Amino acid sequence: MTKTRVPLVIGRRLADRLVTELRPLGSLFSRVEVAGSIRRQKATVGDVEIVAQAGRQYLPAAVHRVLDRLHVDRAPPNSIGAKAAWGPRYYKGTARVADGLELGVDLFVVAPPAEWGDVFLIRTGEAEFSQAVVTRLRRFGLQSEDGHVVRASDRARIPTPHESDVFRAARLPWIPPERRF
């Protein structure tokens, strides 16, 4: 099955609508940003990826209700009939962007022990870019795991509240999203 791709403007419209609805839910999410190919400004997008920081009253059941209200349906069954899990840190679904046209929606929730910088960088991609950063972290005795960076020798966490912290840990200069390929 071929993945649907749409022009950036259509993907951006859906992403903006979702973010506009999710941002005011401050007790559920304290921060909400668009990631993935939309953040990288690709000409066409295959899905909408959103990263949200869990708020003080974050509950997966509340996220389910919000996604239902936004008409984001759970992802269809895969080839063996299993639907994607919803929560507590990953929600995969579909939303209509035009008559008969649906686009995938991935919502990644940053909840402890995960940190914003690591998750946002990884989810902005591209996959090869993210993998290269993770591989570079290993060169310096660090690992990206479960949404945070740790020192491999003693498992101590390296704070990464911002993407720039992950670049610094990997001893890389800041690379703008549109150049991450």
Side-chain angles (χ1 to χ4, degrees):
M1 181 172 158
T2 304
K3 187 174 181 180
T4 302
R5 295 197 67 80
V6 300
L8 174 62
V9 67
I10 293 173
R12 169 62 74 187
R13 193 174 309 136
L14 173 60
D16 288 346
R17 180 175 66 84
L18 295 172
V19 167
T20 297
E21 293 290 329
L22 294 171
R23 275 191 180 144
L25 306 174
S27 61
L28 188 59
F29 299 120
S30 61
R31 182 177 182 185
V32 180
E33 301 291 341
V34 176
S37 55
I38 294 173
R39 185 168 182 237
R40 292 191 323 271
Q41 299 292 305
K42 301 306 280 184
T44 62
V45 298
D47 57 13
V48 172
E49 292 186 60
I50 296 175
V51 177
Q53 179 76 49
R56 65 186 178 285
Q57 295 178 352
Y58 170 73
L59 293 170
V63 178
H64 297 183
R65 288 190 297 274
V66 170
L67 292 175
D68 285 344
R69 184 173 52 80
L70 295 174
H71 305 288
V72 175
D73 299 319
R74 285 182 77 163
N78 63 19
S79 61
I80 58 172
K83 284 193 172 189
W86 269 35
R89 293 185 12 203
Y90 177 57
Y91 302 83
K92 184 172 185 64
T94 59
R96 180 165 284 124
V97 291
D99 287 338
L101 181 62
E102 293 183 334
L103 195 59
V105 175
D106 294 322
L107 172 62
F108 301 93
V109 178
V110 180
E115 289 199 56
W116 182 267
D118 192 50
V119 174
F120 198 43
L121 183 142
I122 298 288
R123 295 303 165 196
T124 293
E126 286 201 10
E128 294 82 9
F129 178 86
S130 298
Q131 185 59 49
V133 172
V134 168
T135 299
R136 184 154 171 108
L137 286 168
R138 284 190 201 122
R139 279 184 34 195
F140 299 106
L142 304 172
Q143 292 178 284
S144 172
E145 62 179 42
D146 204 24
H148 60 277
V149 176
V150 297
R151 198 169 32 240
S153 62
D154 61 4
R155 315 302 303 151
R157 286 203 187 136
I158 307 301
T160 58
H162 307 284
E163 275 185 315
S164 59
D165 298 315
V166 181
F167 280 104
R168 194 171 14 268
R171 299 179 188 160
L172 290 169
W174 168 259
I175 300 170
E178 61 275 6
R179 294 191 49 223
R180 298 180 191 175
F181 51 88

